Amino acid sequence: MGDTSSHRIGGRRHVVRIVIVLAAAVVALINIAPVLWGVATSVRPAAEIFAFPPSFLPGDLTGEHYAQVLSGSFTRNLANSLIYSTVATVAAVLLGAIAAYAFDRFRFPMRRPLFGVIVACIPLSMGAAVLVIPNYLYFAALGLLDTPVILPLLYLGYNLPMAVWILKGAMEGIPTELDEAAKIDGASRLRTFRSVILPLCKPSLAAASMFVFIGAWNEFVAGSVMVNTSAYRPVQVAVYQFISAFGRQWGPLTASAVLALVPILLLVVFFGRYLVAGLMRGAVKG
């Protein structure tokens, strides 16, 4: 009787695993299918894009759409996004680490409410369209509209709360005894922070860096409103330029989207493990 019951339980678990795997495969297919279709469209000749019935695999391959995209200002816009996102990432991780250390190791008035405000601002990293008008008026008063500094500042402000939250969670897992031992050895607060705390937070630093970079790279609304000069546009706005009142240029549109996706794919492929490790160590705990 016991063997039969164990066999039934084992069989149910096996069925549950199969269902979970199939569900994950369906979700993955739903998410990746548009990307694969876009890649296929980007290498189709213009005459095949509107062929009916459509086929997933292109008949003839062409690089004409990529050539058209790269012959314009798209390369400059791609470089702009790399610079904007990198500057915002470095600044957010540096300031976020300092703020997280202060919130975790120091006791000062309004510490908990202030950290609660930071946590409440985390949704900014997932889109802050509601702040476009106030930000526009504020930066217009400062004379920073349509300049190369406005987008890194906005990206920093949008994504800094996420960096602080992740890094504070990581620092909570570092025993304060290490700070005390470093103090006994004559290390200052700054030396302890630089030589003890930060090396132990490397996975979370990488996770925060990836979150900030991806959030900055994918931002569209601020880039389309705050910048008008083509030389200062980010890549996401440059992709949108292939959609006009006269129709969509599907070949160049998908080619530019694929080019804009490549840096993020490379980032996830080579550093994705740090993202998972950092979240498990920092953000989940926090």
Side-chain angles (χ1 to χ4, degrees), residues 174-187:
I174 300 175
T176 56
E177 287 78 9
L178 293 178
D179 300 57
E180 297 170 359
K183 184 177 180 181
I184 293 174
D185 290 338

PDB file of all heavy atoms in Angstrom, residues 174-187:
ATOM      1  N   ILE A 174      26.027  41.714   5.319  1.00  0.00           N
ATOM      2  CA  ILE A 174      27.434  41.789   5.701  1.00  0.00           C
ATOM      3  C   ILE A 174      27.510  42.105   7.193  1.00  0.00           C
ATOM      4  O   ILE A 174      27.009  43.145   7.632  1.00  0.00           O
ATOM      5  CB  ILE A 174      28.171  42.880   4.893  1.00  0.00           C
ATOM      6  CG1 ILE A 174      28.089  42.560   3.401  1.00  0.00           C
ATOM      7  CG2 ILE A 174      29.625  42.985   5.341  1.00  0.00           C
ATOM      8  CD1 ILE A 174      28.680  43.634   2.522  1.00  0.00           C
ATOM      9  N   PRO A 175      28.109  41.241   7.995  1.00  0.00           N
ATOM     10  CA  PRO A 175      28.145  41.462   9.453  1.00  0.00           C
ATOM     11  C   PRO A 175      28.852  42.770   9.810  1.00  0.00           C
ATOM     12  O   PRO A 175      29.874  43.129   9.217  1.00  0.00           O
ATOM     13  CB  PRO A 175      28.933  40.253   9.978  1.00  0.00           C
ATOM     14  CG  PRO A 175      28.851  39.233   8.891  1.00  0.00           C
ATOM     15  CD  PRO A 175      28.785  39.992   7.599  1.00  0.00           C
ATOM     16  N   THR A 176      28.306  43.475  10.797  1.00  0.00           N
ATOM     17  CA  THR A 176      28.942  44.713  11.257  1.00  0.00           C
ATOM     18  C   THR A 176      30.258  44.437  11.956  1.00  0.00           C
ATOM     19  O   THR A 176      31.063  45.358  12.129  1.00  0.00           O
ATOM     20  CB  THR A 176      27.995  45.454  12.210  1.00  0.00           C
ATOM     21  OG1 THR A 176      27.630  44.594  13.292  1.00  0.00           O
ATOM     22  CG2 THR A 176      26.725  45.896  11.471  1.00  0.00           C
ATOM     23  N   GLU A 177      30.485  43.179  12.356  1.00  0.00           N
ATOM     24  CA  GLU A 177      31.754  42.841  12.998  1.00  0.00           C
ATOM     25  C   GLU A 177      32.939  43.111  12.067  1.00  0.00           C
ATOM     26  O   GLU A 177      34.044  43.401  12.535  1.00  0.00           O
ATOM     27  CB  GLU A 177      31.756  41.374  13.422  1.00  0.00           C
ATOM     28  CG  GLU A 177      30.878  41.047  14.621  1.00  0.00           C
ATOM     29  CD  GLU A 177      29.404  40.950  14.261  1.00  0.00           C
ATOM     30  OE1 GLU A 177      29.100  40.971  13.049  1.00  0.00           O
ATOM     31  OE2 GLU A 177      28.570  40.863  15.179  1.00  0.00           O
ATOM     32  N   LEU A 178      32.708  43.005  10.759  1.00  0.00           N
ATOM     33  CA  LEU A 178      33.783  43.296   9.807  1.00  0.00           C
ATOM     34  C   LEU A 178      34.159  44.781   9.860  1.00  0.00           C
ATOM     35  O   LEU A 178      35.338  45.133   9.770  1.00  0.00           O
ATOM     36  CB  LEU A 178      33.351  42.909   8.392  1.00  0.00           C
ATOM     37  CG  LEU A 178      33.142  41.421   8.123  1.00  0.00           C
ATOM     38  CD1 LEU A 178      32.664  41.193   6.690  1.00  0.00           C
ATOM     39  CD2 LEU A 178      34.437  40.654   8.373  1.00  0.00           C
ATOM     40  N   ASP A 179      33.171  45.646  10.019  1.00  0.00           N
ATOM     41  CA  ASP A 179      33.450  47.078  10.170  1.00  0.00           C
ATOM     42  C   ASP A 179      34.258  47.336  11.439  1.00  0.00           C
ATOM     43  O   ASP A 179      35.220  48.126  11.440  1.00  0.00           O
ATOM     44  CB  ASP A 179      32.144  47.869  10.225  1.00  0.00           C
ATOM     45  CG  ASP A 179      31.297  47.716   8.980  1.00  0.00           C
ATOM     46  OD1 ASP A 179      30.965  46.562   8.634  1.00  0.00           O
ATOM     47  OD2 ASP A 179      30.962  48.732   8.366  1.00  0.00           O
ATOM     48  N   GLU A 180      33.851  46.667  12.513  1.00  0.00           N
ATOM     49  CA  GLU A 180      34.545  46.863  13.786  1.00  0.00           C
ATOM     50  C   GLU A 180      35.979  46.348  13.722  1.00  0.00           C
ATOM     51  O   GLU A 180      36.893  46.979  14.264  1.00  0.00           O
ATOM     52  CB  GLU A 180      33.771  46.162  14.905  1.00  0.00           C
ATOM     53  CG  GLU A 180      32.367  46.739  15.125  1.00  0.00           C
ATOM     54  CD  GLU A 180      31.531  45.897  16.053  1.00  0.00           C
ATOM     55  OE1 GLU A 180      32.039  44.839  16.506  1.00  0.00           O
ATOM     56  OE2 GLU A 180      30.368  46.262  16.314  1.00  0.00           O
ATOM     57  N   ALA A 181      36.168  45.204  13.049  1.00  0.00           N
ATOM     58  CA  ALA A 181      37.523  44.666  12.912  1.00  0.00           C
ATOM     59  C   ALA A 181      38.397  45.607  12.081  1.00  0.00           C
ATOM     60  O   ALA A 181      39.569  45.839  12.406  1.00  0.00           O
ATOM     61  CB  ALA A 181      37.475  43.284  12.266  1.00  0.00           C
ATOM     62  N   ALA A 182      37.829  46.166  11.019  1.00  0.00           N
ATOM     63  CA  ALA A 182      38.588  47.111  10.206  1.00  0.00           C
ATOM     64  C   ALA A 182      38.921  48.371  10.997  1.00  0.00           C
ATOM     65  O   ALA A 182      40.013  48.938  10.860  1.00  0.00           O
ATOM     66  CB  ALA A 182      37.790  47.471   8.960  1.00  0.00           C
ATOM     67  N   LYS A 183      37.996  48.812  11.857  1.00  0.00           N
ATOM     68  CA  LYS A 183      38.250  49.997  12.678  1.00  0.00           C
ATOM     69  C   LYS A 183      39.370  49.744  13.666  1.00  0.00           C
ATOM     70  O   LYS A 183      40.227  50.615  13.910  1.00  0.00           O
ATOM     71  CB  LYS A 183      36.967  50.388  13.413  1.00  0.00           C
ATOM     72  CG  LYS A 183      37.080  51.668  14.219  1.00  0.00           C
ATOM     73  CD  LYS A 183      35.741  52.018  14.853  1.00  0.00           C
ATOM     74  CE  LYS A 183      35.862  53.315  15.656  1.00  0.00           C
ATOM     75  NZ  LYS A 183      34.551  53.667  16.304  1.00  0.00           N
ATOM     76  N   ILE A 184      39.384  48.556  14.237  1.00  0.00           N
ATOM     77  CA  ILE A 184      40.456  48.198  15.172  1.00  0.00           C
ATOM     78  C   ILE A 184      41.803  48.206  14.464  1.00  0.00           C
ATOM     79  O   ILE A 184      42.831  48.598  15.033  1.00  0.00           O
ATOM     80  CB  ILE A 184      40.169  46.822  15.805  1.00  0.00           C
ATOM     81  CG1 ILE A 184      38.933  46.909  16.714  1.00  0.00           C
ATOM     82  CG2 ILE A 184      41.375  46.315  16.583  1.00  0.00           C
ATOM     83  CD1 ILE A 184      38.481  45.583  17.258  1.00  0.00           C
ATOM     84  N   ASP A 185      41.812  47.791  13.202  1.00  0.00           N
ATOM     85  CA  ASP A 185      43.064  47.782  12.426  1.00  0.00           C
ATOM     86  C   ASP A 185      43.468  49.172  11.949  1.00  0.00           C
ATOM     87  O   ASP A 185      44.476  49.320  11.254  1.00  0.00           O
ATOM     88  CB  ASP A 185      42.918  46.851  11.218  1.00  0.00           C
ATOM     89  CG  ASP A 185      42.861  45.390  11.638  1.00  0.00           C
ATOM     90  OD1 ASP A 185      43.334  45.081  12.744  1.00  0.00           O
ATOM     91  OD2 ASP A 185      42.334  44.568  10.861  1.00  0.00           O
ATOM     92  N   GLY A 186      42.665  50.174  12.290  1.00  0.00           N
ATOM     93  CA  GLY A 186      43.019  51.546  11.936  1.00  0.00           C
ATOM     94  C   GLY A 186      42.407  52.053  10.645  1.00  0.00           C
ATOM     95  O   GLY A 186      42.770  53.139  10.184  1.00  0.00           O
ATOM     96  N   ALA A 187      41.482  51.303  10.052  1.00  0.00           N
ATOM     97  CA  ALA A 187      40.865  51.736   8.797  1.00  0.00           C
ATOM     98  C   ALA A 187      39.786  52.784   9.075  1.00  0.00           C
ATOM     99  O   ALA A 187      39.026  52.662  10.041  1.00  0.00           O
ATOM    100  CB  ALA A 187      40.261  50.548   8.066  1.00  0.00           C
TER     101      ALA A 187
END
